[in-house]
Amino acid sequence: GEDVEQSLFLSVREGDSSVINCTYTDSSSTYLYWYKQEPGAGLQLLTYIFSNMDMKQDQRLTVLLNKKDKHLSLRIADTQTGDSAIYFCAVAGMDSSYKLIFGSGTRLLVRP
Amino acid sequence: DAEITQSPRHKITETGRQVTLACHQTWNHNNMFWYRQDLGHGLRLIHYSYGVQDTNKGEVSDGYSVSRSNTEDLPLTLESAASSQTSVYFCASSESGTANEQFFGPGTRLTVL
């Protein structure tokens, strides 16, 4: 079945850029997603990218998609302490475009 | 404002008891999902529904059941709670025919003793 992999932890200094990476095994997904989870809360959609795009920019967020390598990344520019959270990559399952397969999440720690 | 709510937010129960977790959304979304979140596993899909009277098993459905009698609610039932079902449970909903953005509830932390 579909597998989505992420590194577990990333630590950056406030003001630096953060890059969170995700790889997936196979996908018929039309969209690929990045979600953010703050402590004690549910997941919130940050951004998504259409599968025929290579890049999407949304304010401080840049999503890069390399379909050949099955690699998705999220870049956060000028990272702030409020960006400290867990970030999940998600793709649609092979058998349905409505079911999502989530990575295990990357915990981002922003140091002052 | 439209929203998705879960209740209770915290629950402690004993092994063998039946437990029902509630999920209610006011977006009138067709699709609803239940996930569990465990350290090191991310979110795993338990059950999902694409409309009233429709239910489907996810990757970790054993020991769980759902029913969909109306658009707004998808309750999750643990028939006989086990310690392995101690977890944080999230409900989500989405609308068909869009970018499939899933909106998540705040979660229910369940402890089975």
Side-chain angles (χ1 to χ4, degrees), chain A residues 1 13 26 30 32 42 44 46 55 58 66 73 76 85 88 102 110:
Chain A
R13 195 181 301 275
D26 199 0
T30 304
L32 299 95
Q44 180 180 22
L46 270 183
M55 185 181 82
D58 184 359
N66 182 328
S73 68
I76 305 173
F88 292 92
F102 286 84
V110 183

mmCIF file of all heavy atoms in Angstrom, chain A residues 1 13 26 30 32 42 44 46 55 58 66 73 76 85 88 102 110:
data_model
loop_
_atom_site.group_PDB
_atom_site.id
_atom_site.type_symbol
_atom_site.label_atom_id
_atom_site.label_comp_id
_atom_site.label_asym_id
_atom_site.label_seq_id
_atom_site.Cartn_x
_atom_site.Cartn_y
_atom_site.Cartn_z
ATOM 1 N N GLY A 1 0.810 -1.195 0.000
ATOM 2 C CA GLY A 1 0.000 0.000 0.000
ATOM 3 C C GLY A 1 0.853 1.258 0.000
ATOM 4 O O GLY A 1 2.079 1.194 0.036
ATOM 5 N N ARG A 13 16.830 27.961 13.988
ATOM 6 C CA ARG A 13 16.872 29.210 14.745
ATOM 7 C C ARG A 13 15.822 30.171 14.186
ATOM 8 O O ARG A 13 15.568 30.207 12.980
ATOM 9 C CB ARG A 13 18.263 29.822 14.659
ATOM 10 C CG ARG A 13 18.540 30.910 15.677
ATOM 11 C CD ARG A 13 19.941 31.458 15.491
ATOM 12 N NE ARG A 13 20.960 30.417 15.638
ATOM 13 C CZ ARG A 13 21.461 30.038 16.810
ATOM 14 N NH1 ARG A 13 21.044 30.593 17.933
ATOM 15 N NH2 ARG A 13 22.374 29.101 16.851
ATOM 16 N N ASP A 26 3.880 5.752 -3.967
ATOM 17 C CA ASP A 26 3.113 5.771 -5.204
ATOM 18 C C ASP A 26 1.829 6.529 -4.925
ATOM 19 O O ASP A 26 1.324 6.517 -3.807
ATOM 20 C CB ASP A 26 2.793 4.356 -5.674
ATOM 21 C CG ASP A 26 2.424 4.307 -7.146
ATOM 22 O OD1 ASP A 26 2.427 5.384 -7.787
ATOM 23 O OD2 ASP A 26 2.135 3.224 -7.657
ATOM 24 N N THR A 30 -4.471 13.630 -6.865
ATOM 25 C CA THR A 30 -4.538 14.873 -7.625
ATOM 26 C C THR A 30 -3.939 16.005 -6.821
ATOM 27 O O THR A 30 -3.408 16.954 -7.362
ATOM 28 C CB THR A 30 -6.001 15.185 -7.966
ATOM 29 O OG1 THR A 30 -6.572 14.078 -8.663
ATOM 30 C CG2 THR A 30 -6.106 16.422 -8.836
ATOM 31 N N LEU A 32 -1.602 17.010 -3.117
ATOM 32 C CA LEU A 32 -0.748 16.588 -2.015
ATOM 33 C C LEU A 32 -0.770 17.715 -0.992
ATOM 34 O O LEU A 32 -0.792 18.894 -1.362
ATOM 35 C CB LEU A 32 0.676 16.297 -2.495
ATOM 36 C CG LEU A 32 0.764 15.173 -3.540
ATOM 37 C CD1 LEU A 32 0.770 15.744 -4.953
ATOM 38 C CD2 LEU A 32 2.009 14.324 -3.323
ATOM 39 N N GLY A 42 -6.244 19.646 16.877
ATOM 40 C CA GLY A 42 -6.362 18.837 15.676
ATOM 41 C C GLY A 42 -5.468 19.366 14.573
ATOM 42 O O GLY A 42 -4.743 20.335 14.744
ATOM 43 N N GLN A 44 -4.568 21.128 11.010
ATOM 44 C CA GLN A 44 -5.078 22.246 10.229
ATOM 45 C C GLN A 44 -4.351 22.255 8.888
ATOM 46 O O GLN A 44 -3.118 22.183 8.858
ATOM 47 C CB GLN A 44 -4.819 23.546 10.982
ATOM 48 C CG GLN A 44 -5.296 24.784 10.289
ATOM 49 C CD GLN A 44 -5.001 26.030 11.102
ATOM 50 O OE1 GLN A 44 -4.125 26.040 11.949
ATOM 51 N NE2 GLN A 44 -5.758 27.086 10.853
ATOM 52 N N LEU A 46 -2.416 23.500 5.974
ATOM 53 C CA LEU A 46 -1.573 24.669 5.709
ATOM 54 C C LEU A 46 -1.649 25.069 4.247
ATOM 55 O O LEU A 46 -1.841 26.240 3.913
ATOM 56 C CB LEU A 46 -0.113 24.330 6.011
ATOM 57 C CG LEU A 46 0.435 24.560 7.392
ATOM 58 C CD1 LEU A 46 1.902 24.220 7.407
ATOM 59 C CD2 LEU A 46 0.211 26.004 7.834
ATOM 60 N N MET A 55 5.685 23.753 -8.161
ATOM 61 C CA MET A 55 5.908 24.647 -7.042
ATOM 62 C C MET A 55 4.644 25.462 -6.772
ATOM 63 O O MET A 55 3.901 25.812 -7.691
ATOM 64 C CB MET A 55 7.061 25.616 -7.336
ATOM 65 C CG MET A 55 7.435 26.516 -6.177
ATOM 66 S SD MET A 55 8.771 27.677 -6.555
ATOM 67 C CE MET A 55 7.852 28.956 -7.374
ATOM 68 N N ASP A 58 2.863 30.466 -1.090
ATOM 69 C CA ASP A 58 1.758 31.069 -0.354
ATOM 70 C C ASP A 58 2.353 31.800 0.827
ATOM 71 O O ASP A 58 2.622 31.211 1.869
ATOM 72 C CB ASP A 58 0.784 29.988 0.100
ATOM 73 C CG ASP A 58 -0.445 30.560 0.781
ATOM 74 O OD1 ASP A 58 -0.541 31.795 0.917
ATOM 75 O OD2 ASP A 58 -1.322 29.765 1.179
ATOM 76 N N ASN A 66 8.420 17.058 -6.652
ATOM 77 C CA ASN A 66 9.205 16.348 -7.651
ATOM 78 C C ASN A 66 8.537 14.996 -7.857
ATOM 79 O O ASN A 66 8.740 14.065 -7.080
ATOM 80 C CB ASN A 66 10.649 16.173 -7.174
ATOM 81 C CG ASN A 66 11.530 15.480 -8.205
ATOM 82 O OD1 ASN A 66 11.071 14.632 -8.969
ATOM 83 N ND2 ASN A 66 12.802 15.839 -8.234
ATOM 84 N N SER A 73 8.278 18.800 -0.557
ATOM 85 C CA SER A 73 8.912 19.547 0.525
ATOM 86 C C SER A 73 8.109 20.801 0.854
ATOM 87 O O SER A 73 7.386 21.331 0.002
ATOM 88 C CB SER A 73 10.350 19.906 0.184
ATOM 89 O OG SER A 73 10.398 20.848 -0.875
ATOM 90 N N ILE A 76 9.494 26.936 4.958
ATOM 91 C CA ILE A 76 8.921 28.046 5.716
ATOM 92 C C ILE A 76 10.003 29.106 5.808
ATOM 93 O O ILE A 76 11.064 28.873 6.403
ATOM 94 C CB ILE A 76 8.478 27.612 7.125
ATOM 95 C CG1 ILE A 76 7.522 26.425 7.049
ATOM 96 C CG2 ILE A 76 7.835 28.790 7.860
ATOM 97 C CD1 ILE A 76 7.164 25.831 8.407
ATOM 98 N N ALA A 85 5.650 23.259 15.809
ATOM 99 C CA ALA A 85 4.472 22.392 15.722
ATOM 100 C C ALA A 85 4.918 21.084 15.066
ATOM 101 O O ALA A 85 6.086 20.899 14.738
ATOM 102 C CB ALA A 85 3.367 23.035 14.889
ATOM 103 N N PHE A 88 2.581 17.495 9.035
ATOM 104 C CA PHE A 88 2.255 16.231 8.379
ATOM 105 C C PHE A 88 2.122 16.422 6.879
ATOM 106 O O PHE A 88 1.428 17.325 6.415
ATOM 107 C CB PHE A 88 0.933 15.667 8.914
ATOM 108 C CG PHE A 88 0.990 15.203 10.337
ATOM 109 C CD1 PHE A 88 0.657 16.060 11.365
ATOM 110 C CD2 PHE A 88 1.344 13.903 10.633
ATOM 111 C CE1 PHE A 88 0.699 15.635 12.686
ATOM 112 C CE2 PHE A 88 1.382 13.462 11.947
ATOM 113 C CZ PHE A 88 1.060 14.336 12.972
ATOM 114 N N PHE A 102 -1.260 9.660 5.714
ATOM 115 C CA PHE A 102 -0.429 10.655 6.373
ATOM 116 C C PHE A 102 0.944 10.083 6.697
ATOM 117 O O PHE A 102 1.082 8.900 7.041
ATOM 118 C CB PHE A 102 -1.082 11.102 7.687
ATOM 119 C CG PHE A 102 -2.261 12.010 7.508
ATOM 120 C CD1 PHE A 102 -3.526 11.479 7.265
ATOM 121 C CD2 PHE A 102 -2.125 13.383 7.581
ATOM 122 C CE1 PHE A 102 -4.630 12.305 7.086
ATOM 123 C CE2 PHE A 102 -3.216 14.220 7.412
ATOM 124 C CZ PHE A 102 -4.458 13.679 7.161
ATOM 125 N N VAL A 110 11.529 25.690 16.894
ATOM 126 C CA VAL A 110 12.154 26.950 16.522
ATOM 127 C C VAL A 110 12.788 27.551 17.771
ATOM 128 O O VAL A 110 12.092 27.871 18.743
ATOM 129 C CB VAL A 110 11.131 27.925 15.907
ATOM 130 C CG1 VAL A 110 11.824 29.210 15.469
ATOM 131 C CG2 VAL A 110 10.419 27.265 14.740
#
